[in-house]
Amino acid sequence: MKLPFALLTPVMMILLGACAPTASQEQALVDPVFAPGQVWEVAWEDGLKPSTVTIPVLHSNERGMVFYVGEEMQGIDNASASFSAGGDIKPHISINVSKAPYGQKRDCNGLINAPVEVGQTVQGVYAFQTARGVYGDYVRTGSKEGLSNCTMKRLK
């Protein structure tokens, strides 16, 4: 079937419009901080041995969070990482470490929304065995009450 040229343009507009994202579809976040393969050192102020972690592969990018997670390996420190933004929270990053050999979990969270160069350190906070609600205050207001200091330094 041959369409007259005058009808071709409206038909193409309808077809292309059907492929365009709608207001209800989410746009993927652009993570300005992490990329798979980066190497970071995470240290906590309570003297627990620092962890050197490699940012794993991208796992998901939805609902205001870019999340990187790797496969679990026994006997070494494992990590996941995330970048979150949107809504009523400040843009922030988190590196979550499961420390070998006992699987002790620690995280470090920092308010940042900019690229981090090799050798640069990001100041962060953590809470050990505390309700995660304190992080809600931190990412909304920047309040560090009830949290301890940690650092995330990009090595590679």
Side-chain angles (χ1 to χ4, degrees):
M1 172 177 150
K2 242 181 170 179
L3 287 175
F5 184 73
L7 290 176
L8 188 57
T9 302
V11 168
M12 289 303 290
M13 297 281 287
I14 290 167
L15 290 173
L16 290 174
C19 297
T22 64
S24 65
Q25 290 177 323
E26 273 184 43
Q27 295 294 322
L29 275 182
V30 175
D31 178 356
V33 183
F34 293 129
Q38 289 177 344
V39 178
W40 292 71
E41 180 184 73
V42 185
W44 300 270
E45 74 178 358
D46 66 0
L48 184 68
K49 183 181 175 207
S51 292
T52 301
V53 298
T54 300
I55 302 303
V57 297
L58 178 65
H59 178 72
S60 67
N61 184 346
E62 56 189 34
R63 294 187 192 100
M65 177 184 273
V66 181
F67 190 62
Y68 306 86
V69 64
E71 77 179 70
E72 290 287 324
M73 291 189 263
Q74 295 297 328
I76 64 169
D77 292 356
N78 292 296
S80 62
S82 63
F83 170 76
S84 303
D88 66 343
I89 62 171
K90 297 175 182 289
H92 63 282
I93 61 172
S94 180
I95 297 179
N96 304 290
V97 179
S98 180
K99 296 202 52 71
Y102 305 110
Q104 182 182 32
K105 297 188 183 316
R106 284 286 177 101
D107 58 357
C108 185
N109 301 271
L111 300 177
I112 188 167
N113 190 23
V116 175
E117 301 298 323
V118 172
Q120 184 179 344
T121 299
V122 175
Q123 296 297 317
V125 296
Y126 74 99
F128 185 60
Q129 296 180 337
T130 345
R132 293 218 32 108
V134 294
Y135 292 115
D137 291 341
Y138 177 64
V139 298
R140 281 191 303 282
T141 68
S143 171
K144 295 182 177 184
E145 187 176 338
L147 299 167
S148 299
N149 293 315
C150 58
T151 58
M152 295 170 276
K153 181 177 182 178
R154 184 168 169 206
L155 303 178
K156 176 178 166 192

